[in-house]
């Protein structure tokens, strides 16, 4: 399939070192939001961050071991993932059809069977089975996939991707850590499933809790995406005895913010025309539609200003998420929907770039964040930003933002109106933020990893 290539053989002397960056979930699932954008961007900059004595190598878990990638990660799902999706949807469709023709007397036990089978397809066991089948096929047929990555003494494996459903991989790393004397690092993007379970999916909470306890048992150090996340992590570790020593190795580095557009040709889309046809002064909100992003407050504040007849339009860019039915319904049935309110659920990197260019102001209403990549991307372009007053945004924005208490629509509306008045008078100016791009971010990550691992 041309996905993997032969691993580089280590020299007998340890004058050459490898840092392996695990990005399995992003490789198969694709996507351009959150953790997957981070994993993809870092993996695609690995070569530029490498040196003759230090190689940064993106790898994926194959069920029985790791494979080295030989091409850049894409937004699009991998072919194997698409096949998996087709099988899952086909099973659900066939079960639905079977339910329709099932006699009413036996529908109740059939419904239980349907839920059980669907859970097997969509639950946490399915990814493990998927990776295992991949490994079972690839290991005997090495000429198809290439050899596995040979971990050796002194190597460092860093988990930067979503690995909640990879218990076998963590078990494998636990064994290799002691048998081959490798170092293992885990990147923590946030601790919301542990600290704010009310804003998370039900299946995520228990899965993340189990994963976190397992990850703590194998890690030599933690990476985070901000000082704020490091502080939260250290506090949690110190308050919850999880088998770690009293001194925790935690380091953070700045994530890049160039939307990765230099690495591949971005294609135009119908969304781009939609974005540039928005009239008026455009407020932009970027992020998955889910409780933590606080879109209900944004919509309330927008309604307040619309009723006052102010020349504002709202552009929301973010895929539908969890616990978001009411907000999505409100967006789609809004009186201004299609006019002064525009929602794009399937934005590409190109669409996002166009949205930043078209917008006059960025609005980030999150009640909590691990980092805040849209804010960085907006400030990099000199975009005025109105944001909730939370530590990660203060860490990024400093004096370059206008802040409001995250649970008050009235305060947000007042802040937006104050900005608008200054903007119309030409008095509001924002300095462009100096921030590393993804190549520089990957280099910063590498330096932090070496300091923590040694």
């Amino acid at each position: 399939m041309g996905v993997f290539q032969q691993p580089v053989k280590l020299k007998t002397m340890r004058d050459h070192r490898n840092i392996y960056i695990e990005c399995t979930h992003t490789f198969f699932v694709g996507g351009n939001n959150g953790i997957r954008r981070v994993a993809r961007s870092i993996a695609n900059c690995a070569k530029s961050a490498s040196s003759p004595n230090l190689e940064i190598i993106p790898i994926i878990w194959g069920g029985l071991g790791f494979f080295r990638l030989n091409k850049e990660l894409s937004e699009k799902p991998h072919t194997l993932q698409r096949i998996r999706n087709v099988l899952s949807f086909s099973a659900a469709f066939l079960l639905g059809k079977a339910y329709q023709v099932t006699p009413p007397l036996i529908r109740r036990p059939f419904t239980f069977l349907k839920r059980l089978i669907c859970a097997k397809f969509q639950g946490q066991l399915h990814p493990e089975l998927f990776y295992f089948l991949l490994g079972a096929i690839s290991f005997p047929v090495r000429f198809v996939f290439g050899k596995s990555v040979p971990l050796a003494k002194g190597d460092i494996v860093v988990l930067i991707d979503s690995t909640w459903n990879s218990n076998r991989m963590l078990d494998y790393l636990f064994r290799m850590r002691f048998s081959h004397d490798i170092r293992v690092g885990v990147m923590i993007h946030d601790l919301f499933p542990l600290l704010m379970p009310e804003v998370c999916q039900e299946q995520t909470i228990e899965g993340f809790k189990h994963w976190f306890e397992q990850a703590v048992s194998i890690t030599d150090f933690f990476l985070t995406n901000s000082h704020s996340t490091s502080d939260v992590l250290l506090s949690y570790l110190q308050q919850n005895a999880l088998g770690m020593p009293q001194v925790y190795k935690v380091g953070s580095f700045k994530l890049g913010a160039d939307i990765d557009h230099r690495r591949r040709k971005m294609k135009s889309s119908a969304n781009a025309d939609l974005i540039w046809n928005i009239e008026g002064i455009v407020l932009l909100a970027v992020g998955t539609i889910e409780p933590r992003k606080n879109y209900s407050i944004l919509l309330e504040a927008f309604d307040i200003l619309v009723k006052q007849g102010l020349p504002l339009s709202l552009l929301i860019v973010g895929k539908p998420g969890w616990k978001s039915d009411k907000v999505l319904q409100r967006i789609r049935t809004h009186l201004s929907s299609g006019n002064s309110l525009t929602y794009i659920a399937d934005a590409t990197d190109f669409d996002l770039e166009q949205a930043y260019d078209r917008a006059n102001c960025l609005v980030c209403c999150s009640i909590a964040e691990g980092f805040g990549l849209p804010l960085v991307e907006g400030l990099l372009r000199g975009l005025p930003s109105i944001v909730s007053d939370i530590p990660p945004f203060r860490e990024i924005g400093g004096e370059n933002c206008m802040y409001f208490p995250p649970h008050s629509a009235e305060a947000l509306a007042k802040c937006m109106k104050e900005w608008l008045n200054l903007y119309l008078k030409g008095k509001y100016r924002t300095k462009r933020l100096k921030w590393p791009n993804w190549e520089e971010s990957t280099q910063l990550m590498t330096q932090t990893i070496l300091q923590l691992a040694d």
Side-chain angles (χ1 to χ4, degrees):
M1 296 178 66
V3 177
F4 310 104
Q5 69 179 21
Q6 300 279 340
V8 175
K9 293 187 177 181
L10 299 179
K11 300 177 183 179
T12 54
M13 299 293 292
R14 294 306 296 175
D15 57 348
H16 181 94
R17 197 168 192 182
N18 293 329
I19 296 179
Y20 294 104
I21 304 298
E22 185 274 329
C23 48
T24 310
H25 184 73
T26 298
F27 173 79
F28 285 113
V29 177
N32 66 344
N33 63 302
I35 294 176
R36 281 175 280 178
R37 195 196 305 183
V38 174
R40 186 190 70 210
S41 300
I42 289 176
N44 290 345
C45 291
K47 185 175 181 180
S48 64
S50 298
S51 65
N53 296 324
L54 178 67
E55 190 169 9
I56 317 300
I57 306 171
I59 57 175
I60 72 162
W61 172 246
L64 299 174
F66 289 103
F67 294 102
R68 172 176 176 167
L69 301 185
N70 67 353
K71 67 175 185 179
E72 292 189 348
L73 300 186
S74 169
E75 292 177 49
K76 297 179 179 179
H78 189 269
T79 302
L80 291 173
Q81 179 68 27
R82 295 177 192 175
I83 294 173
R84 171 186 166 193
N85 290 342
V86 169
L87 292 175
S88 297
F89 287 127
S90 298
F93 175 78
L94 292 174
L95 285 168
K97 288 295 184 182
Y99 178 80
Q100 293 176 5
V101 299
T102 301
L105 291 177
I106 62 172
R107 277 190 176 179
R108 176 169 290 184
F110 182 86
T111 301
F112 173 77
L113 178 63
K114 177 184 174 182
R115 290 176 179 173
L116 180 64
I117 294 176
C118 285
K120 290 296 183 183
F121 272 99
Q122 300 174 359
Q124 294 185 5
L125 293 177
H126 188 49
E128 289 279 32
L129 177 61
F130 176 67
Y131 298 143
F132 178 79
L133 291 176
L134 172 64
I137 294 171
S138 61
F139 270 77
V141 193
R142 290 174 183 262
F143 65 87
V144 176
F145 290 97
K147 293 182 179 179
S148 59
V149 169
L151 297 177
K153 182 177 181 179
D155 286 342
I156 305 170
V157 178
V158 184
L159 311 180
I160 66 171
D161 207 348
S162 304
T163 56
W164 326 146
N165 296 322
S166 301
N167 296 330
R168 291 180 182 273
M169 181 185 74
L170 297 180
D171 290 339
Y172 175 83
L173 286 173
F174 183 82
R175 296 193 302 271
M176 295 296 290
R177 183 167 172 257
F178 291 99
S179 64
H180 288 63
D181 195 21
I182 67 170
R183 296 289 179 267
V184 178
V186 175
M187 184 165 182
I188 301 296
H189 298 267
D190 61 67
L191 289 179
F192 301 138
L194 299 178
L195 302 178
M196 302 179 65
E198 67 276 6
V199 302
C200 301
Q201 292 172 288
E202 297 297 333
Q203 64 265 32
T204 300
I205 298 169
E206 285 303 317
F208 185 92
K209 182 179 180 181
H210 176 74
W211 168 84
F212 184 76
E213 292 177 354
Q214 192 176 12
V216 167
S217 70
I218 70 166
T219 191
D220 293 289
F221 61 89
F222 291 99
L223 281 176
T224 71
N225 49 14
S226 67
H227 295 309
S228 300
T229 303
S230 290
D231 292 341
V232 171
L233 173 62
L234 281 169
S235 176
Y236 184 86
L237 289 171
Q238 290 165 357
Q239 293 175 20
N240 298 270
L242 294 171
M244 286 283 287
Q246 291 184 350
V247 178
Y248 303 100
K249 288 187 175 183
V250 179
S252 64
F253 68 101
K254 290 183 177 180
L255 300 183
D258 54 347
I259 315 189
D260 204 18
H261 66 276
R262 291 177 297 172
R263 300 198 130 55
R264 62 187 181 281
K265 185 178 180 180
M266 295 192 297
K267 297 181 180 179
S268 183
S269 68
N271 286 334
D273 294 333
L274 181 64
I275 290 168
W276 285 103
N277 286 332
I278 299 175
E279 297 179 354
I281 298 171
V282 177
L283 303 172
L284 171 64
V286 177
T288 301
I289 311 299
E290 49 107 340
R292 186 172 49 83
K293 297 298 183 179
N294 208 16
Y295 279 104
S296 58
I297 291 293
L298 173 60
L299 292 171
E300 288 179 29
F302 181 65
D303 284 345
I304 292 173
L305 299 182
V306 168
K307 289 177 181 178
Q308 296 177 12
L310 298 180
L312 290 173
S313 293
L314 177 61
L315 170 59
I316 298 176
V317 178
K319 71 173 186 176
W322 50 96
K323 298 182 179 181
S324 60
D325 291 344
K326 290 183 179 180
V327 172
L328 286 169
Q329 180 69 10
R330 185 173 176 181
I331 291 173
R332 290 163 178 159
T333 60
H334 196 279
L335 292 176
S336 300
S337 183
N339 297 309
S340 60
L341 192 155
T342 303
Y343 172 51
I344 298 177
D346 56 349
T348 64
D349 275 357
F350 180 83
D351 298 331
L352 186 56
E353 183 81 10
Q354 299 303 300
Y356 283 123
D357 289 343
R358 173 62 187 90
N360 301 102
C361 181
L362 179 70
V363 183
C364 302
C365 301
S366 302
I367 59 175
E369 286 286 353
F371 176 55
L373 194 53
L375 176 57
V376 176
E377 291 172 340
L379 290 176
L380 268 176
R381 292 158 176 77
L383 198 60
S385 299
I386 301 171
V387 302
S388 52
D389 196 354
I390 57 177
F393 288 165
R394 284 283 183 180
E395 182 178 332
I396 294 169
E399 298 179 355
N400 290 324
C401 299
M402 297 178 71
Y403 297 92
F404 70 95
H407 297 290
S408 173
E410 291 76 14
L412 173 57
K414 181 179 179 181
C415 205
M416 292 161 65
K417 188 174 182 179
E418 180 182 344
W419 166 80
L420 179 62
N421 290 334
L422 292 172
Y423 176 80
L424 292 174
K425 295 176 182 177
K427 294 183 178 181
Y428 194 93
R429 296 288 184 271
T430 300
K431 295 181 180 179
R432 285 184 178 269
L433 186 70
K434 292 184 179 180
W435 201 267
N437 59 33
W438 279 112
E439 289 182 358
E440 295 165 340
S441 174
T442 305
Q443 292 169 354
L444 290 173
M445 180 197 71
T446 301
Q447 296 170 9
T448 306
I449 289 171
L450 292 175
Q451 291 172 359
L452 294 171
D454 292 339

